Amino acid sequence: MQITTRHWVIIGIGFVVAIGVAFGWTHRAKAPMPSDLSVATSTTTAATSTVSAQAAQATNEAAPKSFPVNSADTTFTWSFKGSYAGNATLIAQANADIAHLTGLVGGGKYDDYDLYNGLANDYSSLGDGQMAYHYYNLAIAVHPNKGLAYANLAHLMDQLGAYETAADAYTKAVAVEQGILEYHIERLTYLMRQFPKDSSRLTAAFADASKQFGDTPAILTIEARWLASQGRYADAIKAWQTVETLSPEQNRAAIDAEIARLKAK
Protein backbone atom coordinates (compact mmCIF):
# COMPACT_ATOMS: atom_id res chain seq x y z
CA MET A 1 0.00 0.00 0.00
CA GLN A 2 1.18 3.46 -0.78
CA ILE A 3 0.68 5.71 2.23
CA THR A 4 -0.64 9.01 1.05
CA THR A 5 -0.51 12.33 2.85
CA ARG A 6 -2.85 15.27 3.08
CA HIS A 7 -2.77 18.80 4.37
CA TRP A 8 -4.03 19.29 7.90
CA VAL A 9 -4.26 22.94 7.28
CA ILE A 10 -3.17 25.47 4.73
CA ILE A 11 -1.34 28.24 6.49
CA GLY A 12 -2.31 31.55 4.92
CA ILE A 13 0.60 33.95 5.14
CA GLY A 14 -1.07 36.77 3.26
CA PHE A 15 0.63 40.11 3.19
CA VAL A 16 -2.84 41.67 3.33
CA VAL A 17 -6.18 40.66 1.92
CA ALA A 18 -4.78 41.39 -1.53
CA ILE A 19 -1.76 39.11 -1.05
CA GLY A 20 -1.98 35.41 -0.45
CA VAL A 21 1.29 33.65 0.19
CA ALA A 22 -0.01 30.24 1.17
CA PHE A 23 2.17 27.76 2.98
CA GLY A 24 0.66 24.30 2.81
CA TRP A 25 2.37 21.36 4.41
CA THR A 26 1.64 17.74 4.72
CA HIS A 27 0.71 16.34 8.06
CA ARG A 28 -1.55 13.48 7.46
CA ALA A 29 -0.92 9.90 6.43
CA LYS A 30 -4.25 8.67 5.22
CA ALA A 31 -5.96 6.09 7.42
CA PRO A 32 -9.38 5.15 8.87
CA MET A 33 -11.01 2.41 10.94
CA PRO A 34 -13.94 0.03 10.96
CA SER A 35 -17.00 1.80 12.27
CA ASP A 36 -17.55 -0.77 15.02
CA LEU A 37 -14.36 0.42 16.73
CA SER A 38 -15.66 3.90 17.45
CA VAL A 39 -15.81 4.92 21.10
CA ALA A 40 -18.70 6.88 22.59
CA THR A 41 -17.65 10.45 23.31
CA SER A 42 -18.89 13.03 25.76
CA THR A 43 -18.01 16.32 27.38
CA THR A 44 -15.29 15.60 29.91
CA THR A 45 -12.60 16.99 32.12
CA ALA A 46 -8.99 16.03 31.43
CA ALA A 47 -9.19 12.31 32.14
CA THR A 48 -6.46 11.36 29.67
CA SER A 49 -5.44 8.05 31.16
CA THR A 50 -9.05 6.83 31.05
CA VAL A 51 -9.41 7.91 27.43
CA SER A 52 -6.26 6.05 26.39
CA ALA A 53 -7.26 2.94 28.31
CA GLN A 54 -10.71 2.89 26.73
CA ALA A 55 -9.29 3.33 23.26
CA ALA A 56 -6.65 0.69 23.88
CA GLN A 57 -9.27 -1.79 25.01
CA ALA A 58 -11.30 -1.08 21.89
CA THR A 59 -8.33 -1.78 19.62
CA ASN A 60 -6.54 -4.47 21.63
CA GLU A 61 -3.46 -2.26 21.98
CA ALA A 62 -1.52 -1.18 25.02
CA ALA A 63 -2.46 2.28 26.26
CA PRO A 64 0.36 4.72 25.47
CA LYS A 65 1.62 7.33 27.88
CA SER A 66 -0.69 10.20 27.02
CA PHE A 67 0.34 13.68 26.03
CA PRO A 68 -1.05 15.58 29.03
CA VAL A 69 -4.20 17.61 28.77
CA ASN A 70 -3.48 21.02 30.25
CA SER A 71 -5.21 21.55 33.60
CA ALA A 72 -6.64 24.83 32.29
CA ASP A 73 -8.73 22.86 29.80
CA THR A 74 -11.32 21.85 32.34
CA THR A 75 -14.16 21.06 29.96
CA PHE A 76 -14.14 20.12 26.32
CA THR A 77 -15.78 17.54 24.11
CA TRP A 78 -14.15 14.50 22.58
CA SER A 79 -16.80 14.40 19.88
CA PHE A 80 -16.91 16.95 17.09
CA LYS A 81 -18.08 17.27 13.52
CA GLY A 82 -15.41 15.62 11.43
CA SER A 83 -14.61 16.76 7.94
CA TYR A 84 -16.33 13.65 6.52
CA ALA A 85 -19.60 14.20 8.38
CA GLY A 86 -22.61 13.69 6.14
CA ASN A 87 -20.60 12.16 3.29
CA ALA A 88 -21.33 8.44 3.22
CA THR A 89 -18.72 7.77 0.54
CA LEU A 90 -15.89 9.39 2.45
CA ILE A 91 -16.97 7.76 5.70
CA ALA A 92 -16.91 4.34 4.05
CA GLN A 93 -13.49 5.07 2.57
CA ALA A 94 -12.21 6.14 5.95
CA ASN A 95 -13.49 2.99 7.64
CA ALA A 96 -11.95 0.80 4.94
CA ASP A 97 -8.65 2.62 5.23
CA ILE A 98 -8.62 2.20 9.01
CA ALA A 99 -9.15 -1.52 8.63
CA HIS A 100 -6.33 -1.69 6.08
CA LEU A 101 -3.85 0.34 8.12
CA THR A 102 -4.68 -1.55 11.29
CA GLY A 103 -3.65 -4.72 9.50
CA LEU A 104 -0.31 -3.17 8.54
CA VAL A 105 0.66 -2.10 12.07
CA GLY A 106 3.62 -4.08 13.31
CA GLY A 107 4.25 -5.68 9.93
CA GLY A 108 7.51 -3.85 9.30
CA LYS A 109 6.70 -2.73 5.78
CA TYR A 110 5.85 0.77 6.94
CA ASP A 111 6.92 2.76 9.96
CA ASP A 112 4.26 2.35 12.63
CA TYR A 113 4.65 6.06 13.33
CA ASP A 114 3.18 6.87 9.92
CA LEU A 115 0.48 4.24 10.27
CA TYR A 116 -0.61 5.56 13.67
CA ASN A 117 -0.67 9.13 12.38
CA GLY A 118 -2.78 7.95 9.48
CA LEU A 119 -5.20 6.11 11.73
CA ALA A 120 -5.52 9.14 13.98
CA ASN A 121 -6.15 11.42 11.04
CA ASP A 122 -8.95 9.25 9.78
CA TYR A 123 -10.57 9.04 13.18
CA SER A 124 -10.37 12.80 13.29
CA SER A 125 -12.05 13.01 9.88
CA LEU A 126 -14.82 10.85 11.34
CA GLY A 127 -15.16 13.14 14.37
CA ASP A 128 -13.90 10.58 16.91
CA GLY A 129 -11.63 12.61 19.16
CA GLN A 130 -10.89 9.82 21.62
CA MET A 131 -9.55 7.44 19.02
CA ALA A 132 -7.63 10.17 17.22
CA TYR A 133 -6.02 11.18 20.53
CA HIS A 134 -5.17 7.56 21.27
CA TYR A 135 -3.43 6.98 17.94
CA TYR A 136 -1.49 10.24 18.02
CA ASN A 137 -0.17 9.14 21.39
CA LEU A 138 0.81 5.79 19.94
CA ALA A 139 2.71 7.61 17.20
CA ILE A 140 4.47 9.79 19.78
CA ALA A 141 5.48 6.66 21.69
CA VAL A 142 7.18 5.32 18.55
CA HIS A 143 9.12 8.50 17.73
CA PRO A 144 8.92 10.99 20.61
CA ASN A 145 11.43 13.28 18.92
CA LYS A 146 9.45 13.81 15.72
CA GLY A 147 7.18 16.82 15.53
CA LEU A 148 4.46 15.64 13.16
CA ALA A 149 2.29 13.76 15.67
CA TYR A 150 2.51 16.66 18.14
CA ALA A 151 1.42 19.13 15.46
CA ASN A 152 -1.45 16.85 14.43
CA LEU A 153 -2.44 16.39 18.06
CA ALA A 154 -2.41 20.16 18.51
CA HIS A 155 -4.80 20.57 15.60
CA LEU A 156 -7.08 17.92 17.08
CA MET A 157 -7.13 19.52 20.53
CA ASP A 158 -7.92 22.88 18.95
CA GLN A 159 -10.94 21.29 17.28
CA LEU A 160 -12.01 19.74 20.57
CA GLY A 161 -11.80 23.06 22.43
CA ALA A 162 -8.76 22.15 24.54
CA TYR A 163 -6.91 25.30 23.55
CA GLU A 164 -4.11 25.30 26.11
CA THR A 165 -3.33 21.67 25.32
CA ALA A 166 -3.19 22.57 21.64
CA ALA A 167 -0.71 25.34 22.42
CA ASP A 168 1.38 22.90 24.47
CA ALA A 169 1.45 20.39 21.62
CA TYR A 170 2.48 23.00 19.05
CA THR A 171 5.25 24.11 21.40
CA LYS A 172 6.40 20.50 21.74
CA ALA A 173 6.47 20.05 17.96
CA VAL A 174 8.75 23.07 17.71
CA ALA A 175 10.92 21.88 20.59
CA VAL A 176 11.63 18.42 19.19
CA GLU A 177 12.26 19.54 15.60
CA GLN A 178 13.30 23.16 15.84
CA GLY A 179 14.61 23.33 12.30
CA ILE A 180 11.26 22.72 10.58
CA LEU A 181 9.79 26.07 9.60
CA GLU A 182 6.26 24.74 9.13
CA TYR A 183 5.92 23.83 12.81
CA HIS A 184 6.83 27.38 13.80
CA ILE A 185 4.34 28.75 11.28
CA GLU A 186 1.56 26.55 12.62
CA ARG A 187 2.34 27.45 16.21
CA LEU A 188 2.43 31.19 15.53
CA THR A 189 -0.70 31.15 13.39
CA TYR A 190 -2.55 29.27 16.11
CA LEU A 191 -1.38 31.53 18.92
CA MET A 192 -2.22 34.66 16.94
CA ARG A 193 -5.73 33.36 16.38
CA GLN A 194 -6.43 31.88 19.79
CA PHE A 195 -4.35 34.06 22.13
CA PRO A 196 -3.83 37.36 20.29
CA LYS A 197 -3.56 39.43 23.46
CA ASP A 198 -1.01 37.15 25.14
CA SER A 199 1.99 39.26 24.19
CA SER A 200 4.50 37.34 26.29
CA ARG A 201 3.55 33.99 24.76
CA LEU A 202 3.60 35.30 21.21
CA THR A 203 6.81 37.24 21.71
CA ALA A 204 8.50 34.08 23.00
CA ALA A 205 7.22 32.08 20.03
CA PHE A 206 8.46 34.68 17.56
CA ALA A 207 11.82 34.66 19.34
CA ASP A 208 12.03 30.87 18.96
CA ALA A 209 11.40 31.17 15.23
CA SER A 210 13.83 34.06 14.80
CA LYS A 211 16.54 32.15 16.62
CA GLN A 212 16.21 29.29 14.16
CA PHE A 213 15.61 31.13 10.89
CA GLY A 214 16.54 34.78 11.33
CA ASP A 215 14.57 37.20 9.17
CA THR A 216 12.17 35.01 7.22
CA PRO A 217 9.27 36.47 5.20
CA ALA A 218 6.84 33.79 6.37
CA ILE A 219 7.49 34.49 10.05
CA LEU A 220 7.80 38.25 9.70
CA THR A 221 4.51 38.39 7.79
CA ILE A 222 2.70 36.70 10.67
CA GLU A 223 4.41 39.00 13.13
CA ALA A 224 3.51 42.11 11.14
CA ARG A 225 -0.12 41.07 11.00
CA TRP A 226 -0.18 40.39 14.74
CA LEU A 227 1.50 43.72 15.57
CA ALA A 228 -1.01 45.58 13.42
CA SER A 229 -3.91 43.76 15.09
CA GLN A 230 -2.62 45.01 18.44
CA GLY A 231 -2.38 48.61 17.24
CA ARG A 232 1.41 48.56 17.17
CA TYR A 233 1.53 50.15 13.76
CA ALA A 234 5.09 51.45 13.83
CA ASP A 235 6.41 48.01 14.73
CA ALA A 236 4.22 46.41 12.09
CA ILE A 237 5.51 48.82 9.44
CA LYS A 238 9.08 47.99 10.39
CA ALA A 239 8.35 44.27 10.03
CA TRP A 240 6.69 44.81 6.64
CA GLN A 241 9.68 46.81 5.44
CA THR A 242 11.95 43.90 6.27
CA VAL A 243 9.57 41.52 4.51
CA GLU A 244 9.72 43.74 1.45
CA THR A 245 13.50 43.59 1.25
CA LEU A 246 13.30 39.79 1.32
CA SER A 247 10.41 39.41 -1.12
CA PRO A 248 10.29 39.05 -4.91
CA GLU A 249 9.52 42.13 -6.98
CA GLN A 250 5.98 41.10 -7.80
CA ASN A 251 4.97 41.21 -4.12
CA ARG A 252 6.34 44.64 -3.32
CA ALA A 253 3.50 46.78 -4.62
CA ALA A 254 1.04 45.07 -2.30
CA ILE A 255 3.44 45.36 0.62
CA ASP A 256 3.85 49.07 -0.11
CA ALA A 257 0.08 49.41 -0.09
CA GLU A 258 -0.14 47.72 3.30
CA ILE A 259 2.60 49.94 4.71
CA ALA A 260 0.75 53.01 3.41
CA ARG A 261 -2.45 51.78 5.00
CA LEU A 262 -0.75 51.39 8.36
CA LYS A 263 0.92 54.79 8.11
CA ALA A 264 -2.51 56.32 7.67
CA LYS A 265 -3.72 54.89 10.97
Side-chain angles (χ1 to χ4, degrees):
M1 181 202 75
Q2 179 65 41
I3 298 178
T4 60
T5 54
R6 294 180 296 184
H7 295 311
W8 239 143
V9 280
I10 300 294
I11 304 298
I13 318 279
F15 291 134
V16 284
V17 174
I19 299 180
V21 182
F23 285 78
W25 62 293
T26 301
H27 276 345
R28 308 179 38 161
K30 185 172 182 177
M33 101 167 206
S35 56
D36 60 341
L37 295 185
S38 58
V39 178
T41 58
S42 61
T43 301
T44 180
T45 56
T48 59
S49 60
T50 300
V51 169
S52 291
Q54 290 173 341
Q57 183 178 12
T59 56
N60 297 316
E61 294 167 339
K65 181 179 179 181
S66 298
F67 186 88
V69 173
N70 192 296
S71 60
D73 293 324
T74 55
T75 303
F76 59 94
T77 178
W78 287 105
S79 180
F80 64 103
K81 186 175 182 179
S83 60
Y84 290 174
N87 190 319
T89 299
L90 290 178
I91 290 171
Q93 289 175 353
N95 286 327
D97 198 34
I98 287 174
H100 187 48
L101 292 183
T102 300
L104 292 172
V105 170
K109 185 175 182 180
Y110 301 101
D111 192 334
D112 283 352
Y113 181 83
D114 296 325
L115 297 174
Y116 288 142
N117 264 298
L119 284 160
N121 291 336
D122 283 321
Y123 280 114
S124 180
S125 295
L126 294 172
D128 190 336
Q130 281 187 319
M131 293 298 283
Y133 176 79
H134 170 67
Y135 277 107
Y136 287 137
N137 278 295
L138 283 176
I140 289 167
V142 174
H143 292 306
N145 292 321
K146 286 188 175 183
L148 177 61
Y150 295 111
N152 282 343
L153 178 62
H155 182 77
L156 171 70
M157 300 313 288
D158 179 19
Q159 289 183 296
L160 299 179
Y163 301 121
E164 291 289 349
T165 306
D168 293 342
Y170 279 128
T171 298
K172 185 67 173 180
V174 167
V176 298
E177 290 195 288
Q178 297 181 19
I180 296 183
L181 176 63
E182 289 85 352
Y183 296 153
H184 290 269
I185 291 172
E186 287 231 345
R187 179 193 186 193
L188 289 166
T189 302
Y190 173 75
L191 292 176
M192 191 177 78
R193 170 172 56 82
Q194 195 62 48
F195 303 101
K197 296 186 182 302
D198 193 339
S199 296
S200 59
R201 188 178 342 209
L202 274 154
T203 298
F206 282 118
D208 286 344
S210 179
K211 181 179 179 180
Q212 289 298 315
F213 304 104
D215 287 341
T216 303
I219 300 298
L220 285 170
T221 296
I222 298 172
E223 185 171 15
R225 290 168 58 202
W226 172 64
L227 291 168
S229 74
Q230 301 305 300
R232 296 170 57 182
Y233 302 126
D235 292 333
I237 289 168
K238 183 178 179 181
W240 279 123
Q241 288 171 336
T242 304
V243 171
E244 185 170 33
T245 65
L246 300 171
S247 298
E249 184 69 32
Q250 62 266 28
N251 291 336
R252 293 180 183 174
I255 297 172
D256 285 338
E258 175 64 1
I259 290 173
R261 187 185 73 83
L262 293 175
K263 285 181 176 180
K265 292 287 187 180

Short mmCIF file of all heavy atoms in Angstrom, two decimals, residues 33-38 95:
data_model
loop_
_atom_site.label_atom_id
_atom_site.label_comp_id
_atom_site.label_asym_id
_atom_site.label_seq_id
_atom_site.Cartn_x
_atom_site.Cartn_y
_atom_site.Cartn_z
N MET A 33 -10.73 3.63 10.20
CA MET A 33 -11.01 2.41 10.94
C MET A 33 -12.42 1.87 10.73
O MET A 33 -13.31 2.61 10.35
CB MET A 33 -10.86 2.70 12.41
CG MET A 33 -12.20 2.89 13.01
SD MET A 33 -12.27 2.89 14.76
CE MET A 33 -13.92 2.37 14.93
N PRO A 34 -12.60 0.59 11.06
CA PRO A 34 -13.94 0.03 10.96
C PRO A 34 -14.88 0.73 11.91
O PRO A 34 -14.53 0.99 13.03
CB PRO A 34 -13.74 -1.44 11.37
CG PRO A 34 -12.27 -1.67 11.30
CD PRO A 34 -11.62 -0.37 11.46
N SER A 35 -16.10 0.99 11.47
CA SER A 35 -17.00 1.80 12.27
C SER A 35 -17.32 1.17 13.61
O SER A 35 -17.67 1.86 14.56
CB SER A 35 -18.30 2.05 11.51
OG SER A 35 -18.89 0.82 11.11
N ASP A 36 -17.21 -0.15 13.75
CA ASP A 36 -17.55 -0.77 15.02
C ASP A 36 -16.50 -0.52 16.10
O ASP A 36 -16.67 -0.89 17.25
CB ASP A 36 -17.75 -2.28 14.86
CG ASP A 36 -16.51 -2.99 14.35
OD1 ASP A 36 -15.64 -2.31 13.78
OD2 ASP A 36 -16.44 -4.21 14.53
N LEU A 37 -15.37 0.12 15.74
CA LEU A 37 -14.36 0.42 16.73
C LEU A 37 -14.57 1.78 17.37
O LEU A 37 -13.82 2.16 18.25
CB LEU A 37 -12.95 0.40 16.10
CG LEU A 37 -12.48 -0.96 15.59
CD1 LEU A 37 -11.05 -0.83 15.11
CD2 LEU A 37 -12.56 -2.02 16.68
N SER A 38 -15.51 2.56 16.91
CA SER A 38 -15.66 3.90 17.45
C SER A 38 -16.05 3.84 18.90
O SER A 38 -16.72 2.93 19.36
CB SER A 38 -16.68 4.69 16.64
OG SER A 38 -17.91 4.03 16.65
N ASN A 95 -13.39 4.24 6.89
CA ASN A 95 -13.49 2.99 7.64
C ASN A 95 -12.69 1.87 6.98
O ASN A 95 -12.03 1.08 7.65
CB ASN A 95 -14.95 2.59 7.78
CG ASN A 95 -15.70 3.45 8.78
OD1 ASN A 95 -15.11 3.89 9.77
ND2 ASN A 95 -16.98 3.68 8.54
#
